Amino acid sequence: MQQTPVSTAAHAAAHAAILCVNAPAMAASGPDGQLRGHGLHGFYRSGIRVLARMELRLGGIEPLPLQGALTSTAAARFVGAVRIPGDPDPDPALTVERLRHADGVETVTVRNTGGRPARLPLEIALGTDLGPLADIAAGRRSADLPGQVQSAGLRWGRPGCSATVAARPSPHSVLAGAGVLRWDLELQPGGRWSVELRIDVDSSASAAFRPPTGRAQGVLLPWSEPEVRCDDARVELLVPRSLDTLGGLLLADSDRPTDLYAASGVPWRFGLTAADAIWAARLMLPLGTRLAAGTLRALARRQHHGVGSPGLSGPGGWASSGSTTGIASGRAASSAPGAAVAAGAAGPGPWAGPEGLLPGGLKHGGPELPPSCTATEATLLFVTLLAEAWRWGLPEQEVAELLPAAERALAALRTNVSDGSGAFLTDGPGSFVTDLGRSPGERASRPAPARCEVQAQAYRSALHGAELLDAFGRPGGADWRAWAAGLRERFREQFWIDDLSGGRPAAALAGPGRPVPAVAASFVHLLDLGLSAEGALHEGLLDREQTRALAQRLAAPELDCGRGLRTLSAKSPRFNPLGHRSGAVRVHETVLAVAGLAEAGFEREAGALLEGLLDASTHFEGRLPEMYAGEQRVLGCPPVPHPAACRPAAVSAAASVHLVLTLGGVRPDVPGGRVVVRPASTAPLGELELTGLRVAGEPFSVRVSRIGVAVVEEAPPALQLGTR
């Protein structure tokens, strides 16, 4: 996949920016509210910068910025002050408030709180380049287009695209050459005046491809609205703000408005990234299966249908076309809204990946490993999401409709670990899973390392696939169970490195007998066992003693920085606290560790990681970014933001919600008519009450006491309750 680097200037702008998001729209500015056309500044719609500049002056003076903050994921408020020239009073007489919405509406209100009338002009300078987000992220800035006067505002255009700004009330004068709207204000003491600006874009799209839309009016959020009460006040900020964040990232294909899925994040991956969308949907299952269903259907439409096939055309289909928005330092490239996600790692050409492969770009593997393809992760997670959504209560008819796509995903996995006849490999380097998108010839000529986390995802996918196949009367379940058992045996023998500290998994196998000894947060995927029958979890790739050694390793300061898990051990000579695979904290990996450690009985270690994330959340005002620096926690010092992090990001928002909900210990098996509730016995949040969860589409509520005893207060009557 072609990758587009992000410029340093764009990084800086994103780090300091106030970002309003309501997919597929967003707005970015500095804390003063002025849009200056620098870096990412501007209003965007479907990957196009509709407006780059919106600079306000009152009496020729820029307001002194006093405050700029989000009021929700989609809206922000900016407050400034202006002293009337010649006013002897030292207090500013005029305040300027700007209320901005990501959809392209801004209201400017001027108030005179002084004792004298104020007569002065308000000027708003506007301009745009109508540039693609990919170009702007790469630091390519075109000159502003010439503006034209139109009723109540200005218009700019280029072939295939035009933008307008309309003001109400209409300006008293318009300077098209300078792009300035002007009003002559006269405000009496105590008076106020407001103007509303509406920014819009009109772009021509081909009949074969229409950009994704946001959540349409009247379409409900694809999750329930939970109420969370507990002894830890930080949670009461984290959960609602994370849900608000995720709501601002919802997209839908233009012809399937009710199939909602999450855009990956803003500003670098403002579009569908298959693996991130699946992760977000999976982590949100305790609040219902609608996001999972929409995500699965959207991705099934994008699934590759075999070598040489035309794929699926239409919204986001494999064969769709469009530009991509890349991200820095080898991070996964993905599409802005309205752009296609490229096929697997093999790239264009006769090999487009096996049947069943989901789209995915390359992601940086850190200093120890080469880049890997997110198509592998997405394809394996697809099966897991379908199986777990079924356990949470996704209707059987919907599961059956998606089962062929899951079978194709399993077929893609089988292609990777089978010989030419289709029989599973049981020995040698080919018996482990590598990137599914690599052609057989490429795998033979340039063997790729078998990563630890990929084995965990493939193993879980095989077991989940076997359960689905058996339950719906499809063949192959026994074969997948046998293969998973063989993988578990091989993994315990070949991936484990013994040392004086009790041993650890290898980060990868570079070849037979060649483990990569890096100590990394990717180990947490070995604790993510997957929901099975009767509310149980699958047996993991590690045995009990290996799991104990891993828990101790995760809790040690080399990985736990006090605010989450570093992606690479601080003892590594390649450690970099700002390296997104060499030392930064990635939120969702730490959440997986908290959930996995608690389930495995290592609640003290889980509680320490939980406390670290909650501490970090207060410094980020309840909106945890995708990642932040893995510096050791120092009391009184906030975590250092990562300049390339998406914020908001779908996976970190969903993980933040899951972090709290998982402590309720709810594990359903709706097809089996059972739900198990086994919370953490240490009650790390004190008394915890979760109301508004969803099991089998019906309300489910649980209260956990301060001694870790659960009481189910509301549940579907058809389900048997258990506490095993």
Side-chain angles (χ1 to χ4, degrees):
M1 168 180 285
Q2 193 80 19
Q3 295 184 9
T4 306
V6 180
S7 73
T8 303
H11 273 165
H15 164 61
I18 303 292
L19 285 163
C20 308
V21 183
N22 191 35
M26 76 172 188
S29 76
D32 61 357
Q34 301 278 44
L35 305 182
R36 304 182 187 277
H38 302 158
L40 286 170
H41 280 203
F43 281 89
Y44 295 79
R45 183 77 56 81
S46 296
I48 299 295
R49 179 154 63 181
V50 185
L51 190 69
R53 291 190 301 109
M54 182 190 283
E55 298 179 80
L56 182 150
R57 289 177 173 81
L58 195 58
I61 302 171
E62 285 197 24
L64 176 69
L66 302 177
Q67 186 183 65
L70 292 175
T71 57
S72 71
T73 295
R77 177 176 182 259
F78 305 92
V79 179
V82 175
R83 291 190 66 229
I84 299 175
D87 194 337
D89 193 332
D91 298 326
L94 302 178
T95 60
V96 180
E97 178 188 65
R98 302 171 73 163
L99 299 179
R100 176 173 300 158
H101 196 279
D103 286 344
V105 178
E106 180 149 339
T107 302
V108 178
T109 301
V110 182
R111 294 181 176 88
N112 182 1
T113 58
R116 298 193 308 163
R119 298 179 181 85
L120 67 176
L122 172 72
E123 295 179 331
I124 301 179
L126 307 168
T128 187
D129 55 357
L130 292 177
L133 178 56
D135 289 351
I136 293 157
R140 295 190 289 271
R141 170 73 161 96
S142 301
D144 279 357
L145 297 167
Q148 299 175 343
V149 178
Q150 73 162 33
S151 59
L154 288 165
R155 179 184 183 278
W156 304 265
R158 61 170 172 78
C161 185
S162 64
T164 58
V165 173
R168 190 176 60 181
S170 298
H172 297 148
S173 59
V174 179
L175 304 176
V180 173
L181 308 182
R182 176 180 170 125
W183 294 263
D184 296 313
L185 305 188
E186 183 171 340
L187 291 173
Q188 298 300 318
R192 54 176 285 172
W193 177 90
S194 294
V195 61
E196 180 185 85
L197 301 168
R198 288 189 171 270
I199 302 102
D200 207 354
V201 64
D202 181 19
S203 59
S204 60
S206 68
F209 177 77
R210 289 182 292 163
T213 64
R215 181 166 65 96
Q217 187 174 3
V219 176
L220 299 176
L221 285 168
W223 52 74
S224 63
E225 296 281 1
E227 291 185 19
V228 179
R229 290 185 288 274
C230 71
D231 292 340
D232 195 321
R234 295 172 295 184
V235 168
E236 296 180 5
L237 181 67
L238 177 64
V239 172
R241 287 200 169 176
S242 298
L243 289 171
D244 177 53
T245 291
L246 197 59
L249 292 171
L250 290 177
L251 289 171
D253 290 341
S254 54
D255 59 347
R256 303 287 198 283
T258 59
D259 280 354
L260 297 172
Y261 51 86
S264 183
V266 172
W268 313 120
R269 299 199 306 279
F270 196 17
L272 175 59
T273 301
D276 287 357
I278 295 176
W279 271 117
R282 185 180 176 220
L283 294 166
M284 291 289 287
L285 282 173
L287 299 183
T289 60
R290 288 187 56 229
L291 182 61
T295 301
L296 288 165
R297 284 193 286 264
L299 293 176
R301 294 193 289 271
R302 291 158 167 80
Q303 194 177 40
H304 186 39
H305 278 231
V307 178
S309 74
L312 297 175
S313 61
W318 193 272
S320 299
S321 61
S323 62
T324 58
T325 299
I327 51 179
S329 306
R331 298 178 62 200
S334 64
S335 63
V341 185
W351 173 262
E355 181 178 12
L357 192 70
L358 286 173
L362 292 176
K363 70 176 180 181
H364 188 50
E368 309 284 349
L369 293 166
S372 62
C373 183
T374 60
T376 299
E377 182 179 22
T379 303
L380 298 173
L381 281 170
F382 185 95
V383 180
T384 282
L385 177 58
L386 180 59
E388 292 188 335
W390 173 56
R391 296 288 182 195
W392 279 92
L394 183 65
E396 288 202 358
Q397 180 180 349
E398 295 186 50
V399 178
E401 290 171 353
L402 287 161
L403 193 55
E407 290 179 300
R408 290 192 292 270
L410 289 170
L413 171 58
R414 186 164 191 147
T415 298
N416 190 265
V417 290
S418 63
D419 60 20
S421 67
F424 285 116
L425 294 169
T426 58
D427 196 13
S431 61
F432 290 108
V433 184
T434 56
D435 282 345
L436 302 187
R438 292 161 59 92
S439 69
E442 188 179 6
R443 289 202 302 271
S445 62
R446 291 190 299 144
R451 299 165 191 270
C452 166
E453 67 272 23
V454 172
Q455 310 319 303
Q457 292 160 0
Y459 171 76
R460 188 182 59 228
S461 178
L463 293 177
H464 277 144
E467 291 175 345
L468 288 169
L469 295 174
D470 289 349
F472 287 83
R474 306 291 184 96
D479 289 344
W480 282 113
R481 284 192 177 85
W483 178 79
L487 177 62
R488 182 174 63 239
E489 182 179 350
R490 293 190 300 276
F491 188 93
R492 292 177 181 179
E493 291 175 354
Q494 299 182 44
F495 262 82
W496 192 255
I497 301 173
D498 289 314
D499 59 25
L500 295 177
S501 64
R504 66 184 188 275
L509 284 185
R514 294 170 54 204
V516 177
V519 176
S522 58
F523 294 165
V524 303
H525 292 273
L526 295 168
L527 301 173
D528 182 15
L529 305 183
L531 187 60
S532 185
E534 298 188 354
L537 301 178
H538 289 295
E539 181 182 358
L541 285 175
L542 301 180
D543 62 29
R544 181 64 184 174
E545 286 307 310
Q546 290 172 336
T547 302
R548 182 183 303 279
L550 175 58
Q552 293 171 350
R553 182 74 67 167
L554 293 175
E558 65 174 315
L559 282 179
D560 181 9
C561 73
R563 289 194 173 105
L565 290 175
R566 300 179 173 101
T567 48
L568 186 66
S569 166
K571 294 181 178 179
S572 169
R574 309 295 295 277
F575 171 71
N576 172 7
L578 285 173
H580 58 273
R581 288 291 170 189
S582 56
V585 173
R586 299 182 70 85
V587 170
H588 96 279
E589 288 183 335
T590 303
V591 170
L592 291 180
V594 171
L597 288 169
E599 288 285 1
F602 301 100
E603 295 187 6
R604 181 183 62 83
E605 292 84 352
L609 291 172
L610 169 66
E611 168 59 31
L613 279 182
L614 290 176
D615 177 75
S617 74
T618 63
H619 295 287
F620 289 109
E621 301 175 330
R623 302 179 189 273
L624 281 169
E626 173 189 16
M627 58 185 167
Y628 45 87
E631 293 184 327
Q632 193 64 36
R633 176 182 176 182
V634 176
L635 189 64
C637 292
V640 175
H642 194 292
C646 286
R647 183 183 182 219
V651 177
S652 63
S656 299
V657 176
H658 189 79
L659 177 70
V660 177
L661 302 187
T662 192
L663 298 177
V666 180
R667 300 207 305 254
D669 178 14
V670 172
R674 182 177 175 84
V675 59
V676 169
V677 180
R678 194 184 70 179
S681 62
T682 53
L685 298 177
E687 186 171 6
L688 173 65
E689 187 174 350
L690 301 174
T691 303
L693 309 184
R694 287 291 184 273
V695 177
E698 298 184 45
F700 191 96
S701 301
V702 62
R703 179 167 48 84
V704 182
S705 72
R706 293 182 180 91
I707 59 173
V709 176
V711 176
V712 175
E713 299 188 329
E714 187 177 23
L719 295 181
Q720 178 185 354
L721 299 178
T723 58
R724 83 180 203 144

